[in-house]
Amino acid sequence: MPQSMRRDQPARTPSRPFPTLTADTLVTVDFRPRATRPPGPYRRLLARPGARAFVAGNLIARLPAGMFGMSTIVMIAGTRGSYALAGAVGATGLAASALAGPWVARLVDRHGQARIAVPAALCVVLGSLALVLCVHYGAPDWTLFAAYATTATTPNTGGMARARWAHLLDGDAAALHTANSFEQAVDELCYMLGPVLAAFLCTAVAPEAGLLVAASLLLVGILLFAAQRTTEPPPRPADRASASPLRVAGVPPLLVGFLATGAVFGSMEVVTVAYADGLGHRGAAGVVLMLQAAGSCAAGLLYGALKPAGPAERRLPWCLLAMTVLMGLPWLSARTAGSLPLLALALLVAGMATAPTMVTAMTVLQGRVPAGRLNEGLSLMVTALLAGIACGSASGGWIAEHAAPTTGFVVPVAAAGVAFVIGSARAVRRAA
């Protein structure tokens, strides 16, 4: 036997395909090691130490964001028999959150996420319990407003997650782009599933079940999220050299752009409901709007997997232009076809422009806000979006009622156009 075939030597893996005979068939077996596929951008992102732990906790804490409003409206309308009262209570909570949000975020920047987010979440739980008790025992209407206003301390879980990514990635622009896209997709997912889960709990279990489950999920998620201290950004005490985000050049017009973008979301929602109601399919409006969020979620994940070309300031006007053009598809569908399935398809395509636009705008905001005020800056963005949603809902609803639901689809297009004008003018000043 040749020395190369001695048993005390390990067998070598053939360097090329090896033909062998199996039964009456000649087959070729390739023993060469297969080239491993490099991990994708999201896999690399979540592989960073501590990332999966805080993402899991934040996902649980963020799901209630889409549940609180729906749970409150269904619970109050079902027990008190008044949608006007339910809507007024919900609007009060929204306004209180918009006012208190930046203040809570400023405390988070100064004292740390864990020290502020946990007691803030406890206040939300207590306020939710107070509202449930007031509804259940027939307390006066004014107590509903007071109880729900105490939930204004809801921590901006999405903003805290983005702040953790900015701290963890430490200047890696490509990875931060992927992280922002991932967080935007999570936002869309939560706002898709949250209202559906809330409506199911309030109708199939008990009117109070939706709000109680939402409060419980928020508390559990915040506790898990706050326990991940290794990825928490260090607190930054108040520094006079660190200007308020509202005083940073370029931030106020950017917030106005977020205001206009929020008007796109708010008007599209109420106009779609009115249009579906006019066709006799009001119950299907929720499913149709879910398709818009699904398109945005899918586009956000795809956008995060791509390598952005050029700085975010230059990409933002193009994203806003795409959103303006695509928002015209629902109006065109409603005006020409008058078909709810075609409207759903148009909303699916139109939604694909919103996530890339939001991701790019957030990247610009993160680059301009001082590191010690990042949570505050992101909270101001949420405030602008909420105010825009309220304005868009009011204007879209007024036009849909006094003109026609089809005419109401002009409002999202107009709001997107305003955002495009603002973004383009700001980009020109930045380039100059």
Side-chain angles (χ1 to χ4, degrees), residues 5 115 126 164 170 269 315 329 338 343 375 389 401:
M5 297 297 293
R115 292 185 61 184
L126 293 176
R164 289 207 180 204
D170 193 21
E269 181 176 358
R315 299 197 309 271
L329 294 179
L343 176 65
N375 281 287
I389 290 173
E401 181 176 347

Side-chain angles (χ1 to χ4, degrees), residues 166-232:
H167 170 68
L168 192 61
L169 300 176
D170 193 21
D172 189 341
L176 184 61
H177 167 75
T178 302
N180 285 335
S181 300
F182 173 77
E183 293 300 328
Q184 184 62 32
V186 170
D187 281 339
E188 301 292 348
L189 181 64
C190 291
Y191 279 103
M192 275 194 300
L193 300 179
V196 176
L197 178 59
F200 170 77
L201 291 172
C202 291
T203 55
V205 181
E208 301 87 357
L211 195 59
L212 293 176
V213 171
S216 301
L217 288 175
L218 176 66
L219 182 59
V220 171
I222 287 294
L223 290 175
L224 292 175
F225 179 78
Q228 314 306 317
R229 294 299 186 94
T230 58
T231 56
E232 181 179 359

Side-chain angles (χ1 to χ4, degrees), residues 35-129:
T36 58
R37 184 178 180 181
Y42 292 105
R43 186 176 176 182
R44 292 195 302 269
L45 186 72
L46 295 176
R48 294 178 180 265
R52 294 184 180 182
F54 88 75
V55 166
N58 189 268
L59 180 61
I60 297 173
R62 205 183 305 189
L63 181 60
M67 297 179 63
F68 279 115
M70 177 66 73
S71 299
T72 302
I73 291 175
V74 174
M75 178 181 66
I76 295 177
T79 56
R80 297 292 178 95
S82 173
Y83 278 100
L85 177 62
V89 173
T92 299
L94 193 66
S97 298
L99 294 175
W103 174 72
V104 175
R106 189 180 305 128
L107 293 177
V108 169
D109 284 327
R110 293 182 180 180
H111 304 287
Q113 294 182 353
R115 292 185 61 184
I116 301 301
V118 173
L122 286 173
C123 290
V124 176
V125 172
L126 293 176
S128 300
L129 289 175

Side-chain angles (χ1 to χ4, degrees), residues 395-408:
S395 57
W398 189 90
I399 292 179
E401 181 176 347
H402 291 83
T406 302
T407 308

Side-chain angles (χ1 to χ4, degrees), residues 4 7 78 119 154 202 392 420:
S4 60
R7 293 183 177 181
T154 304
C202 291
F420 168 67

